[in-house]
Amino acid sequence: MSAASDDCDVLVVGGGHNGLVCAAYLAGAGLRVRVLERRRVVGGAAVTEEFHPGFRNSLASYTVSLLNPKVIVDLRLVQHGLRVVERPYSNFLPLPDGRAFRLGGPDGAAELARWSPRDAARLPGYYAMLDRVVVVLRELMHATPPNVSDRFVLADWLNSLSVARQLKSLDMRGRRDLLDLFSKSAGELLDDWFECEPLKAALGWDSIVGNFASPYMPGSAYVLLHHVFGEVNGKSGVWGHAIGGMGAISDAIATECRARGVVIDTDAEVAQVLVEGGRAVGVALADGRTLRAGVIASNLNPKLLYTRLVAPEHLDEDTTARIRRYRCGSGTFRMNVALSELPDFRAVPGTTLQPHHQSGILIGDSLAYFERAYFDAKSREHNPGWARAPVVELVISSTLDDSLAPAGQHVASLFCQHVNPVIEDADGGWDAHRDTVAKLMIDTVDAQTPNFARSVLGYDALTPLDLERRLGLVGGDIFHGALGPDQLFSARPVLGQGHYRGALGGLYLCGSGSHPGGGVTGLPGRNAAREILRDLRRGPKP
């Protein structure tokens, strides 16, 4: 346990949602916990902010599905005001030929049958295949991955046996499906199942969300799978909106933290992790203060933690080299836009509220379109690093939540792919091109809804560099590290640290750079708290 001179039992570095979740569980077991957040608000990427006078929206993360039901119940988030509403259907795709494709909703099967009777017949089988795998993997998301180390540890062997038992519950068909989802590309998988290009685009969008990759790159099928783990109001695979924006989730968790006695400090930037005798013993803040604790739990991207906060002499050469190679970088350009009216789509005219305005509106009609966008941004052949025809998901949050905008006006989230995470200094860096790319994104939407550009009252645009500077998302990576097979489960962030214990004694990892990875789930924080309590021999354990 902590020495008497320590300021608290646990210091949590970073007040993102996972850090808050970890703090709440630890405080619930009777520990003295203090959260240190660099920004003036907690929540990390899950915050709601005013970006234009009278207009608020989720700053970065913008839609709900992956938040774990256990976290919701354990931390009493509903009692603290969290309310999530569902979209009327999943996706709306306005197409270049003037038609529109809709996925989901009560008439979804009939709608798809008009495009492809074959695909309409096969879609339930596709969902059933995903469900068979997801049921097993959902359980593993709660588990501590077996630690791969050079010595025998009984707990790691027991964890390995637990994983084996979970996987054994899959029949041979399910095991083959699991292998496909972990090794193949989303494009290969979807092309094998379906023929309708808009359907494949709607399903394949999940494979490139926050993933700077082509949907035909091996491993992209897992990114797709990662996005279907979730549920809303007990309905599997559904996406929804948190009333008040994503900040409502973080605010509810913070409320529970304070109710359990957690001290939350904002404007408290950590400059360095203090190390004595190979053990993390505290932190030095940018304002000159030092704080000590028996446990330091980091909610930061592991690359940020080990390259900026831990002095190099405290890490072995192999860890230093592997963290340097830890892959971070998203093809994401994120915008919040204030609108004077709803989009008037050519495919479905009208500026009065209709169900398609409340769905995920996708500009990008095929997997081939997604692939061109990736290679265009990666190649830099035509500009310093962005797709000339980007993929844009438009979510008009105010159609589900009128608290975000003045009456009769609206806010829209634009989640845009693909841009290169890095613009070279020789080309002016990202700061020189932010507004150029923002205009491109607006024009991309405007091509399908000609009133869009003229309805824009203001916007906030976040390049990958902005996401890193403002939110600590290295390379704009919304997952705190790419979700590739080499950076998952026991290997997240590196082998030997997959069980939430960091490179130093007393240092733990509780953010999305740990299993089960990114998204607003709360599970890395919950799982890390369980391991901290196990090491401290405290309970109850989550």
Side-chain angles (χ1 to χ4, degrees), residues 132 135-137 139 163-172 174-175:
R132 284 194 299 273
V135 164
V136 174
L137 293 186
E139 292 301 314
V163 171
R165 282 195 297 270
Q166 293 290 341
L167 296 180
K168 190 177 180 180
S169 67
L170 286 170
D171 61 15
M172 183 55 68
R175 295 174 198 178

Tab-separated table of all heavy atoms in Angstrom, residues 132 135-137 139 163-172 174-175:
chain	number	residue	atom	x	y	z
A	132	ARG	N	-22.521	-14.770	-33.723
A	132	ARG	CA	-21.902	-15.971	-33.133
A	132	ARG	C	-20.508	-15.659	-32.599
A	132	ARG	O	-20.116	-16.119	-31.526
A	132	ARG	CB	-21.824	-17.090	-34.174
A	132	ARG	CG	-23.131	-17.794	-34.463
A	132	ARG	CD	-22.904	-19.073	-35.227
A	132	ARG	NE	-22.277	-18.856	-36.532
A	132	ARG	CZ	-22.944	-18.598	-37.653
A	132	ARG	NH1	-24.271	-18.539	-37.631
A	132	ARG	NH2	-22.311	-18.424	-38.794
A	135	VAL	N	-20.656	-12.841	-29.542
A	135	VAL	CA	-21.073	-13.350	-28.231
A	135	VAL	C	-19.873	-13.835	-27.438
A	135	VAL	O	-19.750	-13.601	-26.226
A	135	VAL	CB	-22.121	-14.480	-28.398
A	135	VAL	CG1	-22.275	-15.264	-27.117
A	135	VAL	CG2	-23.460	-13.892	-28.815
A	136	VAL	N	-18.949	-14.520	-28.110
A	136	VAL	CA	-17.751	-15.019	-27.436
A	136	VAL	C	-16.778	-13.885	-27.151
A	136	VAL	O	-16.238	-13.754	-26.045
A	136	VAL	CB	-17.079	-16.112	-28.287
A	136	VAL	CG1	-15.745	-16.525	-27.671
A	136	VAL	CG2	-17.994	-17.317	-28.405
A	137	LEU	N	-16.543	-13.024	-28.136
A	137	LEU	CA	-15.554	-11.969	-27.962
A	137	LEU	C	-16.005	-10.925	-26.950
A	137	LEU	O	-15.165	-10.291	-26.301
A	137	LEU	CB	-15.254	-11.308	-29.311
A	137	LEU	CG	-14.552	-12.204	-30.332
A	137	LEU	CD1	-14.165	-11.386	-31.571
A	137	LEU	CD2	-13.313	-12.859	-29.739
A	139	GLU	N	-17.324	-11.544	-24.157
A	139	GLU	CA	-16.845	-12.048	-22.872
A	139	GLU	C	-15.351	-11.795	-22.714
A	139	GLU	O	-14.875	-11.431	-21.632
A	139	GLU	CB	-17.141	-13.549	-22.761
A	139	GLU	CG	-18.620	-13.878	-22.655
A	139	GLU	CD	-19.270	-13.221	-21.448
A	139	GLU	OE1	-18.669	-13.293	-20.355
A	139	GLU	OE2	-20.358	-12.633	-21.597
A	163	VAL	N	-9.440	-18.158	-21.666
A	163	VAL	CA	-9.596	-17.774	-23.071
A	163	VAL	C	-9.879	-19.005	-23.923
A	163	VAL	O	-10.760	-18.998	-24.798
A	163	VAL	CB	-8.334	-17.043	-23.567
A	163	VAL	CG1	-8.393	-16.847	-25.082
A	163	VAL	CG2	-8.183	-15.692	-22.866
A	164	ALA	N	-9.120	-20.067	-23.671
A	164	ALA	CA	-9.314	-21.301	-24.449
A	164	ALA	C	-10.734	-21.831	-24.282
A	164	ALA	O	-11.351	-22.290	-25.250
A	164	ALA	CB	-8.288	-22.343	-24.021
A	165	ARG	N	-11.261	-21.775	-23.061
A	165	ARG	CA	-12.629	-22.247	-22.839
A	165	ARG	C	-13.641	-21.408	-23.606
A	165	ARG	O	-14.610	-21.932	-24.161
A	165	ARG	CB	-12.949	-22.226	-21.338
A	165	ARG	CG	-12.352	-23.388	-20.563
A	165	ARG	CD	-12.994	-23.516	-19.189
A	165	ARG	NE	-12.743	-22.342	-18.371
A	165	ARG	CZ	-11.699	-22.198	-17.555
A	165	ARG	NH1	-10.805	-23.176	-17.469
A	165	ARG	NH2	-11.563	-21.108	-16.826
A	166	GLN	N	-13.416	-20.095	-23.644
A	166	GLN	CA	-14.328	-19.221	-24.379
A	166	GLN	C	-14.312	-19.564	-25.867
A	166	GLN	O	-15.367	-19.694	-26.507
A	166	GLN	CB	-13.930	-17.753	-24.185
A	166	GLN	CG	-14.120	-17.229	-22.779
A	166	GLN	CD	-15.588	-17.087	-22.415
A	166	GLN	OE1	-16.443	-17.037	-23.280
A	166	GLN	NE2	-15.870	-17.040	-21.129
A	167	LEU	N	-13.128	-19.728	-26.426
A	167	LEU	CA	-13.024	-20.015	-27.857
A	167	LEU	C	-13.552	-21.409	-28.182
A	167	LEU	O	-14.079	-21.654	-29.268
A	167	LEU	CB	-11.580	-19.862	-28.317
A	167	LEU	CG	-10.998	-18.444	-28.201
A	167	LEU	CD1	-9.562	-18.414	-28.685
A	167	LEU	CD2	-11.840	-17.445	-29.000
A	168	LYS	N	-13.419	-22.326	-27.224
A	168	LYS	CA	-13.904	-23.690	-27.442
A	168	LYS	C	-15.413	-23.729	-27.579
A	168	LYS	O	-15.975	-24.653	-28.189
A	168	LYS	CB	-13.453	-24.586	-26.282
A	168	LYS	CG	-13.698	-26.066	-26.519
A	168	LYS	CD	-13.160	-26.909	-25.372
A	168	LYS	CE	-13.427	-28.392	-25.624
A	168	LYS	NZ	-12.914	-29.236	-24.509
A	169	SER	N	-16.101	-22.715	-27.044
A	169	SER	CA	-17.557	-22.689	-27.151
A	169	SER	C	-18.026	-22.439	-28.580
A	169	SER	O	-19.196	-22.654	-28.900
A	169	SER	CB	-18.138	-21.628	-26.221
A	169	SER	OG	-17.777	-20.321	-26.640
A	170	LEU	N	-17.127	-21.973	-29.444
A	170	LEU	CA	-17.457	-21.827	-30.865
A	170	LEU	C	-17.358	-23.176	-31.560
A	170	LEU	O	-16.397	-23.926	-31.330
A	170	LEU	CB	-16.492	-20.852	-31.540
A	170	LEU	CG	-16.661	-19.357	-31.248
A	170	LEU	CD1	-15.474	-18.585	-31.791
A	170	LEU	CD2	-17.958	-18.835	-31.860
A	171	ASP	N	-18.325	-23.479	-32.414
A	171	ASP	CA	-18.188	-24.692	-33.224
A	171	ASP	C	-17.183	-24.422	-34.338
A	171	ASP	O	-16.640	-23.324	-34.475
A	171	ASP	CB	-19.548	-25.134	-33.774
A	171	ASP	CG	-20.201	-24.092	-34.685
A	171	ASP	OD1	-19.509	-23.145	-35.142
A	171	ASP	OD2	-21.411	-24.226	-34.941
A	172	MET	N	-16.888	-25.440	-35.147
A	172	MET	CA	-15.853	-25.296	-36.173
A	172	MET	C	-16.188	-24.181	-37.154
A	172	MET	O	-15.301	-23.406	-37.567
A	172	MET	CB	-15.662	-26.616	-36.920
A	172	MET	CG	-14.542	-26.560	-37.965
A	172	MET	SD	-12.960	-26.015	-37.258
A	172	MET	CE	-12.565	-27.414	-36.212
A	174	GLY	N	-17.859	-21.478	-36.508
A	174	GLY	CA	-17.599	-20.228	-35.820
A	174	GLY	C	-16.120	-19.925	-35.706
A	174	GLY	O	-15.701	-18.766	-35.820
A	175	ARG	N	-15.293	-20.950	-35.499
A	175	ARG	CA	-13.845	-20.738	-35.415
A	175	ARG	C	-13.285	-20.286	-36.750
A	175	ARG	O	-12.377	-19.447	-36.814
A	175	ARG	CB	-13.160	-22.020	-34.946
A	175	ARG	CG	-13.542	-22.420	-33.529
A	175	ARG	CD	-12.967	-23.776	-33.145
A	175	ARG	NE	-13.673	-24.312	-31.983
A	175	ARG	CZ	-13.418	-25.487	-31.451
A	175	ARG	NH1	-12.485	-26.268	-31.973
A	175	ARG	NH2	-14.103	-25.904	-30.402
